[in-house]
Amino acid sequence: MYNRDFKGGGEPDYLDRDDDGDGRKSPKRYTQLSERNRCRFTRAGVDRIDYKDVVTLQKLMTNQARIFSRKRSGNAARFQRMVRTAIKRARFMALLPYTG
């Protein structure tokens, strides 16, 4: 993948390939996101996240009862806000613990 003699500056050698043979770099091709990369709630077609669905909410928390970040859980921003609110409501109703 990388040129072992490469010492900073410029781009790695795998970006220099030209598929057309005319010496120019081919443009990057953007593909659609796969189903795996999408938010779990978007894939399921969920509109709202219920605070009473404890099993789903526990999957979005650590064993110390901390809420996973968007980057870790893979949620869209809209659903991450709903998850945060649902977890806080479930904690208030004593369905989920505040701490592990």
Side-chain angles (χ1 to χ4, degrees), residues 1-17:
M1 261 333 210
Y2 286 97
N3 185 354
R4 293 185 191 268
D5 300 326
F6 184 71
K7 298 218 189 238
E11 298 176 337
D13 62 350
Y14 68 89
L15 293 176
D16 291 334
R17 72 186 123 131

Side-chain angles (χ1 to χ4, degrees), residues 15-58:
L15 293 176
D16 291 334
R17 72 186 123 131
D18 54 336
D19 298 331
D20 302 339
D22 59 358
R24 294 184 300 166
K25 293 179 188 173
S26 58
K28 292 183 181 179
R29 306 251 192 276
Y30 293 101
T31 58
Q32 285 185 328
L33 289 173
S34 67
E35 282 293 314
R36 179 68 186 111
N37 291 341
R38 294 176 62 200
C39 169
R40 74 172 69 201
F41 301 110
T42 305
R43 280 182 297 193
V46 174
D47 291 333
R48 301 237 180 247
I49 299 172
D50 191 13
Y51 72 93
K52 293 174 273 187
D53 189 4
V54 177
V55 176
T56 303
L57 295 177
Q58 282 179 336

